[in-house]
Amino acid sequence: MPQKPFLILQVRPEQEAADDEFAALMTKGGLAAGEVERVRLDLAEPPHPETLHRFAGIIVGGGPGCISDTPDKKTEVEALMEARALEIMPHVIADDLPFLGCCYGIGTLAHALGGDVSQARYGESVGPVTCRMTEDATNDPLCEGLPETFDAFVGHKEAVQSLPPRCVHLAGSDTCPFQMIRYGANVYATQFHPEADAAVFETRIRLYRNKGYFPPDEADALIARCNAADVTVPEKILHRFVARYREGAS
């Protein structure tokens, strides 16, 4: 029986940023070119929700938009990508499909579950942050055996304000309590970027320096801070997700 492909959905309208993220997801996830279907949601609709079972897993990347922005603050492209991302979520949730939402993806999941996603608290500056696993993470397939504390790359204006209904809390940080959550057995989301290393974040700092994440004149200092960080655990979570669902786990 042919192996199912993974579906990678992207919400970055900038070509260089989207390509760089896609390459990072492929490399850190241990994915080969022939086992992925890539959809940039600024350019195309996602597969029909009723066909999502044909994928081994679904990965949603990050992007400059915010679910919590009012309609007048969203560009036409951001609103289109958001609508397309949210279109699949009822089916992902109802069928407990293998899903990993990265940064923007945690807001998408929490919003679809009726959770509180806003910019009131827990936004984090661009750079590394120390995360801590919860007790529930010790028995989770993607987290078990990993260090109790680890550094990860973040950068976001909005965040999940409280644990969405029926979710399991897997990791948090001092500045943002909900860094990783799980719904059901197979639906995961992280506030941090599991695909990112220092080089990836250097590219994003350069591309997003005028997007309101940080004062533009701090870009060089942020790049230096990222290059000095030791960030290795998050990519193991991404790699485990791919390995687990490539093998058809449920």
Side-chain angles (χ1 to χ4, degrees):
M1 182 176 178
Q3 182 175 294
K4 291 182 177 181
F6 283 84
L7 174 64
I8 295 180
L9 300 177
Q10 294 189 274
V11 290
R12 296 185 186 277
E14 308 87 1
Q15 181 76 47
E16 185 177 357
D19 288 348
D20 192 63
E21 177 188 65
F22 180 71
L25 288 167
M26 294 288 288
T27 300
K28 300 301 172 49
L31 288 159
E35 61 177 333
V36 298
E37 183 172 319
R38 177 190 184 187
V39 178
R40 282 183 53 184
L41 293 179
D42 58 321
L43 303 177
E45 294 183 1
H48 192 280
E50 293 182 0
T51 71
L52 295 176
H53 284 277
R54 70 183 179 88
F55 297 102
I58 302 163
I59 300 171
V60 174
C66 289
I67 291 279
S68 60
D69 274 344
T70 55
D72 61 295
K73 290 186 177 180
K74 294 173 184 174
T75 67
E76 185 176 340
V77 171
E78 287 172 348
L80 175 64
M81 291 189 295
E82 177 184 306
R84 287 174 169 174
L86 288 172
E87 178 185 340
I88 70 165
M89 293 311 299
H91 296 264
V92 168
I93 291 165
D95 294 341
D96 197 20
L97 298 178
F99 175 90
L100 179 62
C102 311
C103 194
Y104 185 91
I106 196 171
T108 303
L109 174 60
H111 179 81
L113 289 170
D116 183 6
V117 182
S118 81
Q119 299 173 43
R121 298 174 295 171
Y122 309 138
E124 293 179 294
S125 300
V126 171
V129 66
T130 299
C131 299
R132 291 182 303 279
M133 296 289 193
T134 67
E135 185 175 346
D136 284 325
T138 59
N139 296 315
D140 181 85
L142 301 192
C143 301
E144 62 182 349
L146 294 178
E148 182 179 343
T149 62
F150 61 93
D151 283 353
F153 284 122
V154 299
H156 55 102
K157 292 177 276 190
E158 68 179 3
V160 178
Q161 301 296 304
S162 58
L163 191 66
R166 294 162 49 193
C167 280
V168 177
H169 184 201
L170 297 174
S173 66
D174 288 342
T175 45
C176 180
F178 304 107
Q179 290 285 356
M180 184 174 182
I181 61 175
R182 188 189 75 235
Y183 177 86
N186 303 305
V187 181
Y188 290 87
T190 65
Q191 184 64 78
F192 57 82
H193 289 270
E195 83 290 355
D197 57 21
V200 169
F201 248 50
E202 180 172 345
T203 297
R204 291 181 193 171
I205 289 169
R206 177 167 52 80
L207 289 171
Y208 293 121
R209 67 186 303 158
N210 295 310
K211 292 287 187 178
Y213 288 97
F214 53 87
D217 60 1
E218 293 182 5
D220 290 342
L222 289 172
I223 289 170
R225 185 166 171 246
C226 289
N227 284 320
D230 181 18
V231 176
T232 57
V233 171
E235 66 187 67
K236 295 178 181 178
I237 294 172
L238 172 59
H239 196 276
R240 286 183 176 191
F241 176 84
V242 170
R244 176 174 172 79
Y245 295 108
R246 178 189 280 135
E247 297 171 359
S250 61

